[in-house]
Amino acid sequence: MRVLAHLSDLHFGRTEARVVDALLADLHRHRPDLVIISGDLTQRARTRQFAEARAFLERLPAPSLVVPGNHDLSPLYRPLARIFRPRAKFHRSLPDHDESPVWNDGEVTVVGLDSTRSLRWKSGALKGTHLDHLEAMLAESPDGAAKVVFLHHPPASARAGHPYETLVEHDVDLVLAGHVHHAHVELINGVHGGSLVLVQASTACSTRLREDANGYCLVRLDGGHMEVGVQGWGGEAFHTVRHHWFEKRTGTWRMVPRPSHVFPP
Ligand SMILES: [Fe+2]
Ligand SMILES: [Fe+2]
């Protein structure tokens, strides 16, 4: 079994220290195998904000994978940096993190895609280069390993076609995204069969709240069984707001109303 913590939209520069501390305490309590962060680590890609983000990563109880979000690119009011070196601070500040990270431990393969575009602020889209990278990485995934893709912008914001179809065709089990600051869990069926689970996390610890409280997601994967727990800020601590359960039968994920599997403690 693997436990993945999915965080997004930390927005250092606009965080509340007690929420950050409680978030770290909750993560230490749940002891994930891996922490996946789907972008917007900073509010305005400032050096100090990246330093805060790096200090946060160093306090995590597990290895972390990170992709940039639109807020992590050089800001639009610095047009030259935005055009020619949009990710310079991301790379300089987080030297241990690649913008297209990959994790493969035999049970789970996780591929991060950089969905930001240097000349667009809000809309990111999957491009051919992403798909080439994805195919190459998934080709190395061992038989039976769960396939997880994470990116900042939910693929629904891609403009053409059924953006999830390619991911379903590549047997991706789980897509993790952020950007919209709203927790959402959904089963997405492919047009020609197959399915995947989409998990969007709220903003983990920033005051940039939209229609949801601060939160993150805990995904437990055990063979063909998946449990998605939505963790939410309750004012003093994070607690479990709700669970969603899925099981995979004949290659297709289905949502089940209650756990059909006992996950190891
Ligand atoms: Fe954000
Ligand atoms: Fe964003």
Side-chain angles (χ1 to χ4, degrees):
M1 188 188 71
R2 291 289 179 267
V3 180
L4 310 178
H6 170 220
L7 281 62
S8 201
D9 298 80
L10 309 174
H11 287 287
F12 281 101
R14 282 281 298 273
T15 55
E16 230 186 292
R18 67 192 187 112
V19 180
V20 174
D21 289 344
L23 173 63
L24 284 163
D26 205 53
L27 287 165
H28 279 266
R29 196 157 64 85
H30 289 285
R31 297 171 39 207
D33 297 293
L34 185 65
V35 178
I36 298 170
I37 303 182
S38 55
D40 279 0
L41 282 84
T42 67
Q43 176 60 17
R44 283 186 181 266
R46 293 202 167 124
T47 303
R48 195 181 62 238
Q49 295 169 358
F50 271 118
E52 278 185 63
R54 183 173 173 173
F56 176 84
L57 298 180
E58 286 168 0
R59 292 170 70 193
L60 289 172
S64 58
L65 298 182
V66 172
V67 290
N70 49 305
H71 281 258
D72 302 321
L73 305 188
S74 299
L76 288 170
Y77 59 78
R78 297 222 172 96
L80 289 179
R82 178 76 173 191
I83 292 168
F84 296 111
R85 293 176 280 110
R87 295 165 189 80
K89 277 197 189 165
F90 180 91
H91 292 140
R92 202 183 314 136
S93 308
L94 305 174
D96 299 334
H97 290 270
D98 188 88
E99 72 216 30
S100 304
V102 179
W103 173 274
N104 194 344
D105 65 11
E107 249 188 76
V108 64
T109 299
V110 183
V111 181
L113 299 175
D114 178 0
S115 63
T116 59
R117 292 169 156 198
S118 57
L119 294 175
R120 295 182 70 91
W121 184 239
K122 280 189 173 170
S123 67
L126 275 179
K127 293 184 283 194
T129 48
H130 289 119
L131 293 177
D132 292 345
H133 173 69
L134 183 66
E135 280 178 9
M137 295 304 110
L138 292 182
E140 292 173 17
S141 179
D143 282 350
K147 295 175 180 171
V148 181
V149 170
F150 75 106
L151 70 176
H152 182 58
H153 299 85
S157 63
R159 282 169 294 177
H162 183 336
Y164 294 95
E165 193 57 28
T166 312
L167 299 173
V168 172
E169 281 171 7
H170 285 76
D171 295 324
V172 171
D173 297 290
L174 173 66
V175 174
L176 307 172
H179 184 60
V180 289
H181 295 202
H182 177 59
H184 176 70
V185 179
E186 183 180 355
L187 178 73
I188 294 183
N189 291 303
V191 176
H192 306 293
S195 62
L196 58 78
V197 176
L198 168 69
V199 173
Q200 282 174 202
S202 180
T203 167
C205 53
S206 89
T207 57
R208 290 176 56 90
L209 297 168
R210 291 180 194 152
E211 52 196 52
D212 215 349
N214 288 120
Y216 75 100
C217 296
L218 280 169
V219 181
R220 301 211 283 170
L221 280 161
D222 194 16
H225 300 273
M226 188 190 310
E227 177 187 81
V228 182
V230 177
Q231 299 293 111
W233 171 244
E236 290 186 1
F238 282 81
H239 60 275
T240 305
V241 178
R242 61 183 184 274
H243 279 118
H244 303 264
W245 294 281
F246 302 89
E247 62 179 44
K248 196 176 191 179
R249 278 191 229 140
T250 58
T252 299
W253 287 101
R254 293 184 174 83
M255 190 179 265
V256 292
R258 60 187 67 85
S260 55
H261 176 72
V262 178
F263 289 90

